[in-house]
Amino acid sequence: MTTAEARPTEDPAVQPALTAIHHVGITVTNLETSAVWYERVLGIRRQFQVRHFRSDAGGYTIVLGPPDSSFTLGLDHHPANPGDRFDATRTGLDHLSFAVASVEALHAWVAHLHSQDVRNSGVYDMEGFPVSLVTFCDPDGVQLELIASHG
């Protein structure tokens, strides 16, 4: 990386602003299995299904999200996917984290995950930071995280 690449824009008025993460797309091995799991475990619902934009390869996405449309999660099918399980040590997504309102909400999530037979870490504090977490994996091994700030 050159010095120019490492340096932030000196005039913040020149830098365009990001406002939020709009959606995340995750490639899965079995689209229907994953969609049903995310609906059941996270309580997000199918919004629509769409072919991959400008692609003749036959891929498509099931888009899920909460009723308030605050974010969407795309579960992607790629015909060329050989069915490999997720590996956080390879270049790409490491994990996906969702914020929850409180540490008490994390405990409620743990109870819910247990009721859905989803193995999880239980609530734990992140050493050196004022947050607590719960981690678990989707059917393809993608690590998901729920996080709450203390106080």
Side-chain angles (χ1 to χ4, degrees), residues 29-130:
T29 57
N30 185 310
L31 199 55
E32 189 59 31
T33 296
S34 291
V36 167
W37 188 90
Y38 276 90
E39 288 177 300
R40 178 176 57 86
V41 174
L42 296 186
I44 55 179
R45 299 289 174 243
R46 292 175 200 222
Q47 306 294 321
F48 57 91
Q49 181 173 309
V50 62
R51 288 180 37 118
H52 287 165
F53 184 66
R54 294 186 177 169
S55 172
D56 294 327
Y60 61 99
T61 303
I62 291 178
V63 177
L64 303 110
D68 68 0
S69 299
S70 56
F71 70 91
T72 57
L73 177 65
L75 301 177
D76 293 294
H77 166 72
H78 294 278
N81 182 346
D84 296 336
R85 283 189 51 83
F86 176 76
D87 182 350
T89 64
R90 298 191 57 170
T91 301
L93 179 72
D94 181 84
H95 69 280
L96 177 58
S97 181
F98 296 93
V100 300
S102 64
V103 174
E104 292 77 22
L106 285 177
H107 288 284
W109 271 101
V110 167
H112 171 70
L113 294 170
H114 285 293
S115 78
Q116 299 299 311
D117 295 321
V118 176
R119 292 181 59 205
N120 65 84
S121 65
V123 176
Y124 66 94
D125 292 338
M126 186 171 178
E127 191 174 319
F129 295 91

